[in-house]
Amino acid sequence: MIFCVEDDDSIRELMLYVLRSSDFEAQGFADGAGLMEALESTTPRLILLDIMLPGGMDGIEILKNLRAAPATAAIPVILASAKGTEYDKIKGLDLGADDYLAKPFGMMEMVSRVRAVLRRTAPGKGDALVIGGLSVDPVSHIVRADGEPVELTLKEFELLQLFMEHPGRVFSRDQLLHRIWNTDYAGETRTVDVHIGTLRTKLGACGSYIRTVRGVGYRMEERL
């Protein structure tokens, strides 16, 4: 089930029509109140969320609430807005959005973004990844640092998993934006640095495994 939050009736109905024609189940809401009520009984695979909404909550406030609640923290969210400034995009991504659609966007682009995010956020397969005192289970999404469980956001987990799957490989900030956020937004690599910083902090001593390669990006390497 895809939840679509858009206050413009004609745009919302078109989005729902295209999603359903693309073999997705989809349900639409005109505001945040309708979305939050539906979330009490249904957990969607993904939420398409407009930033500019009527009522007491805009899309940014809704995103904050989703990420703060354990029951909804891992639901992928794609923000959509006519506001195309770099600030709005970075703010949404920093708060945990999985992608960003700038209006006006094509319906086929929307479907492509939805499928890409669902592929990235699908449960992984394979054995636990272990480097030094750090372990990541791609199936259960359990992370342990020196034996202690670590709670990560979805984007932090995806970053860590990517590093763990490719120890020693250097990833540029642009590569990380493209692979984790599925974006090529020029000049928006600050969101990568913010997520790396919080990830290192949460991993404690194991956070030092994520090393900065000056002028290039980051790599995973156990410190000897």
Side-chain angles (χ1 to χ4, degrees), residues 51-202:
I51 290 181
M52 301 298 291
L53 292 171
M57 291 187 294
D58 64 8
I60 294 296
E61 187 65 29
I62 292 171
L63 179 61
K64 289 180 182 178
N65 293 338
L66 292 173
R67 292 297 178 248
T72 58
I75 299 175
V77 174
I78 298 177
L79 288 178
S81 176
K83 298 172 69 176
T85 67
E86 180 178 344
Y87 172 79
D88 292 309
K89 296 173 186 175
I90 289 178
K91 185 176 181 181
L93 293 172
D94 282 351
L95 288 172
D98 297 270
D99 204 349
Y100 188 101
L101 279 167
K103 292 181 177 179
F105 53 81
M107 291 296 109
M108 290 302 99
E109 178 189 4
M110 176 192 70
V111 172
S112 177
R113 295 289 188 94
V114 166
R115 286 175 172 158
V117 170
L118 289 176
R119 283 195 301 270
R120 295 203 316 271
T121 56
K125 297 180 180 179
D127 298 328
L129 305 166
V130 180
I131 294 178
L134 188 60
S135 68
V136 174
D137 189 325
V139 176
S140 65
H141 279 216
I142 293 176
V143 176
R144 294 185 182 277
D146 292 328
E148 296 297 320
V150 180
E151 295 293 328
L152 300 179
T153 66
L154 180 61
K155 308 318 291 182
E156 291 165 353
F157 182 88
E158 290 179 346
L159 274 171
L160 181 59
Q161 182 177 349
L162 179 63
F163 285 134
M164 296 283 284
E165 289 174 342
H166 302 279
R169 174 176 172 180
V170 178
F171 290 93
S172 71
R173 291 170 176 82
D174 287 336
Q175 287 174 325
L176 293 173
L177 261 182
H178 179 71
R179 296 189 63 156
I180 303 301
W181 285 272
N182 194 36
T183 69
D184 297 305
Y185 297 141
E188 295 191 8
T189 54
R190 187 180 72 84
T191 192
V192 174
D193 297 330
V194 171
H195 280 76
I196 292 291
T198 57
L199 178 57
R200 281 171 167 162
T201 299
K202 290 182 178 182

Side-chain angles (χ1 to χ4, degrees), residues 192-221:
V192 174
D193 297 330
V194 171
H195 280 76
I196 292 291
T198 57
L199 178 57
R200 281 171 167 162
T201 299
K202 290 182 178 182
L203 295 178
C206 292
S208 65
Y209 297 174
I210 304 174
R211 305 192 64 176
T212 301
V213 181
R214 190 174 299 277
V216 183
Y218 299 96
R219 72 168 178 259
M220 173 68 73
E221 178 182 305

Side-chain angles (χ1 to χ4, degrees), residues 3 5 27-44 47 57 62 65-66 72:
F3 280 177
V5 189
Q27 186 173 353
F29 308 94
D31 53 32
L35 170 68
M36 303 311 288
E37 182 178 352
L39 287 171
E40 294 179 3
S41 58
T42 303
T43 300
I47 298 174
M57 291 187 294
I62 292 171
N65 293 338
L66 292 173
T72 58

